[in-house]
Amino acid sequence: MKTRPEPTAAEPSTTPTSTPTTRRRRRRGINSGESRGAWILLAPYMLLFAVAAFIPIVYAFYTALQKSPTLVNPESGFGGFHSFLTVFKDYRFFDTFGNILTVLAVWLPVMIVAIVALALMVDASRGRFGRAMRFIYYIPGALAGIANFVLWVYLLNPALSPLGPLWEALGMDTLKEVVTDGHMPLILSAMLLFQGIGTWIVIVIGGLNGISDEVLEAAALDGASAWQLAWKVKLPLIRPWIGYAALMNLAYGFQLFLEPYLLRQVSAGSIDAQWTPNQLGYAFAFDNRDFPAAAAMSIILLAITLGIGMLIVFRSGLFGDEGKKS
């Protein structure tokens, strides 16, 4: 009876094996399939981004490089960076940015600290009480836009406000005395805090709910107290959500227009007409009829917000794995 000889070194086995080349081809096929799926999912967003962001940005930059027609020289054409020089030389330019930076310096730290502290307290209070507080914190978010503004006009008017005794004690008897340039950072900070804090608490709580129970149980078994659990475990893990809240509120702060514009109207002009950069851009476009300067102002705002936003993104681990590894 003949037996099949065993394969020797000179006679390799014919059993199919997975070679490095085969594995690379298989991995390349999987990656290409995933890439096609990703691009298909991104296509609607990319179309929306092109229509609502990319094309307007390109058009704004094109407009900013044009020469604004005047009565003396009605012809328009390529003007280089003249519109940017016009914006920088305007006496109101640095004042408007100083105003908005003052608001951000007051409002943004208070906003972030309050969001994180209240979200951690609500997350630690599981059950009916925590759900009730989550709902109560979210209620001010329903008073957005004009509704929030009308509420604050009522509160700021000493003749109508329940805070009337406070305003009188501070020596303020009319709305015009309350709404002044010096008081605007505090007024806007209070308005923006009341309007947005509830929504962001809910968002950060969503990040806290995503923390694995195994991580929390392991920390508890190691003897971590409630304070240590919040400070050393939960807080580092929700850093991307905190960065996202800071980024979006920062962008909103630089876009302030409606609140100072309407406060000037109801206070009979007690504050500057161009109190924020957006108001200055509006004045360039519709008061001075200088659309290239208005476009240049929008490009400057875009560059500033993008630069600060990228700093927040990279420092907070937003859109990456840095926050999860902390």
Side-chain angles (χ1 to χ4, degrees):
M1 183 176 181
K2 297 181 178 180
T3 59
R4 184 177 178 178
E6 295 293 331
T8 61
E11 298 177 358
S13 172
T14 58
T15 304
T17 59
S18 177
T19 63
T21 303
T22 305
R23 287 195 296 270
R24 281 196 299 270
R25 289 175 180 172
R26 189 181 301 116
R27 193 180 303 114
R28 191 181 303 115
I30 294 173
N31 291 339
S32 61
E34 291 178 349
S35 299
R36 283 194 299 271
W39 281 111
I40 291 172
L41 292 174
L42 276 173
Y45 170 77
M46 296 300 292
L47 177 62
L48 181 63
F49 177 80
V51 173
F54 182 74
I55 294 176
I57 290 172
V58 173
Y59 182 71
F61 193 77
Y62 169 79
T63 304
L65 296 178
Q66 303 304 303
K67 182 170 55 178
S68 178
T70 62
L71 294 176
V72 178
N73 185 12
E75 296 183 0
S76 61
F78 182 74
F81 291 95
H82 178 74
S83 59
F84 289 91
L85 294 176
T86 300
V87 171
F88 281 120
K89 290 180 180 179
D90 191 281
Y91 69 95
R92 300 163 293 183
F93 177 78
F94 290 103
D95 289 340
T96 60
F97 277 97
N99 292 335
I100 208 67
L101 290 175
T102 304
V103 173
L104 290 172
V106 175
W107 163 57
L108 200 57
V110 175
M111 182 79 163
I112 297 303
V113 171
I115 289 170
V116 174
L118 293 174
L120 288 172
M121 286 192 290
V122 171
D123 183 70
S125 304
R126 301 296 177 93
R128 185 176 301 175
F129 176 78
R131 290 192 295 270
M133 293 306 297
R134 189 181 312 172
F135 174 74
I136 291 172
Y137 288 142
Y138 186 71
I139 290 177
L143 297 173
I146 296 299
N148 182 58
F149 176 79
V150 172
L151 171 65
W152 277 95
V153 169
Y154 174 73
L155 292 175
L156 294 172
N157 191 342
L160 303 173
S161 173
L163 302 177
L166 172 62
W167 301 129
E168 292 178 4
L170 295 174
M172 304 174 191
D173 299 322
T174 64
L175 182 62
K176 193 170 183 177
E177 293 176 339
V178 175
V179 180
T180 63
D181 287 328
H183 298 158
M184 282 292 287
L186 294 176
I187 293 173
L188 290 175
S189 297
M191 293 174 68
L192 296 174
L193 180 68
F194 182 79
Q195 176 179 315
I197 189 170
T199 302
W200 288 107
I201 287 173
V202 173
I203 293 174
V204 174
I205 288 174
L208 289 168
N209 290 337
I211 299 176
S212 173
D213 291 336
E214 287 78 6
V215 174
L216 300 178
E217 291 173 0
L221 289 174
D222 288 339
S225 63
W227 169 255
Q228 292 172 329
L229 196 65
W231 182 256
K232 295 186 177 181
V233 179
K234 293 182 180 180
L235 189 59
L237 291 176
I238 61 170
R239 192 172 64 181
W241 280 267
I242 299 172
Y244 178 66
L247 177 62
M248 298 305 293
N249 283 284
L250 178 75
Y252 186 80
F254 272 101
Q255 295 171 12
L256 278 178
F257 177 85
L258 179 65
E259 290 84 355
Y261 178 82
L262 293 179
L263 282 172
R264 174 177 168 80
Q265 304 301 315
V266 300
S267 63
S270 63
I271 61 174
D272 291 337
Q274 288 79 45
W275 203 84
T276 67
N278 261 335
Q279 288 180 286
L280 180 57
Y282 181 88
F284 278 130
F286 298 104
D287 293 342
N288 303 349
R289 300 293 178 182
D290 192 347
F291 290 98
M297 190 70 186
S298 68
I299 295 297
I300 293 170
L301 277 172
L302 175 67
I304 292 174
T305 52
L306 277 180
I308 301 176
M310 293 301 293
L311 178 64
I312 293 176
V313 166
F314 288 116
R315 294 296 297 174
S316 67
L318 191 61
F319 306 134
D321 296 331
E322 289 85 353
K324 297 178 182 179
K325 294 176 182 178
S326 298

